Amino acid sequence: MDEQPETTQENIPISIITPLIYVGVTLSLFILFSIIYRRKRVENLSHMQPIFKTNYNSEIYNELKAKNDDPSIKKENKVHEKVLKAALLRKAVESIRRSMKLKEFESSFNKLYQLGLIGDDFYKQYEIQIKYQELEIKEIVQEVESYKKGWVQTFFPLAQEICFNEALRRRLKATDERSEVLTELWDLKT
């Protein structure tokens, strides 16, 4: 019979400080990783180009509003409230137009993304633009309510009507231009 040597285990006393140090180092590394990861994400998002060009109507309204809110400007030099309301209406019209464009192309973007024809960056840019437009509409609602309570019910239908009229005007203009080009082509052939 083979005799196996007896093995004895040595108990090494471990201080309570050792697991606490381990947990502390692990948490510190996790927090450091999280901070670095978020900074990189924010940096990448800040370098993304927006889908739409600059919203000049929004900039104009914000400048007029800032001018009125500036306490150093005299009362007679402040912008009239009707001008501010008109600028807010123009801002709302542009915001509605952009929101409608994004919703119009939503199925196309989703399909292209599912097929892998557009990259993650572009799709993320599209999603950010949707969220931005939603925030802008909420901001406009708050501004409208600050002028007059309950004005939102008449303000947004008016803004939508203006938006639809401008779209119709653009289409008619494009049709007229196309008609002129086709007429010139027809005249050249005859």
Side-chain angles (χ1 to χ4, degrees), residues 86-102:
L88 181 61
L89 185 62
R90 293 302 316 161
K91 178 181 176 180
V93 167
E94 182 63 23
S95 183
I96 289 171
R97 184 189 73 78
R98 290 177 178 205
S99 295
M100 287 173 46
K101 280 291 181 190
L102 289 171

Side-chain angles (χ1 to χ4, degrees), residues 21 56 82 103 119-120 137 140 142 160 162 178 188:
I21 291 173
Y56 294 112
K82 288 183 180 181
K103 286 179 185 169
D120 291 336
I137 296 239
I140 291 170
Q142 291 173 348
Q160 280 183 328
I162 292 170
R178 185 172 221 172
L188 288 176

Side-chain angles (χ1 to χ4, degrees), residues 8-147:
T8 59
Q9 291 183 338
E10 285 185 44
N11 288 337
I12 302 172
I14 297 177
S15 171
I16 191 137
I17 296 174
T18 305
L20 291 176
I21 291 173
Y22 176 76
V23 169
V25 168
T26 306
L27 280 175
S28 298
L29 288 174
F30 179 72
I31 291 170
L32 182 65
F33 171 76
S34 176
I35 290 170
I36 292 171
Y37 179 75
R38 286 183 182 159
R39 282 185 185 164
K40 268 190 169 180
R41 254 183 103 197
V42 167
E43 185 179 320
N44 288 342
L45 290 176
S46 68
H47 292 302
M48 280 189 180
Q49 295 293 325
I51 293 177
F52 296 112
K53 294 180 181 176
T54 305
N55 187 352
Y56 294 112
N57 294 319
S58 179
E59 287 182 5
I60 290 170
Y61 175 75
N62 291 335
E63 286 177 19
L64 292 173
K65 181 105 170 123
K67 186 175 181 181
N68 264 13
D69 293 342
D70 189 3
S72 65
I73 296 177
K74 295 179 183 177
K75 187 175 182 177
E76 56 270 359
N77 292 338
K78 292 196 179 212
V79 180
H80 195 274
E81 187 175 315
K82 288 183 180 181
V83 175
L84 280 173
K85 288 179 180 179
L88 181 61
L89 185 62
R90 293 302 316 161
K91 178 181 176 180
V93 167
E94 182 63 23
S95 183
I96 289 171
R97 184 189 73 78
R98 290 177 178 205
S99 295
M100 287 173 46
K101 280 291 181 190
L102 289 171
K103 286 179 185 169
E104 180 182 335
F105 293 117
E106 182 177 12
S107 61
S108 300
F109 274 107
N110 289 334
K111 186 71 173 175
L112 290 172
Y113 183 68
Q114 288 172 353
L115 294 174
L117 298 174
I118 58 174
D120 291 336
D121 293 341
F122 192 73
Y123 191 73
K124 189 72 170 173
Q125 181 181 7
Y126 169 73
E127 288 177 332
I128 290 171
Q129 190 69 45
I130 288 175
K131 289 177 185 174
Y132 178 76
Q133 288 308 127
E134 289 172 359
L135 288 173
E136 191 171 40
I137 296 239
K138 286 179 185 176
E139 178 187 320
I140 291 170
V141 168
Q142 291 173 348
E143 290 287 327
V144 169
E145 284 295 319
S146 73
Y147 285 113

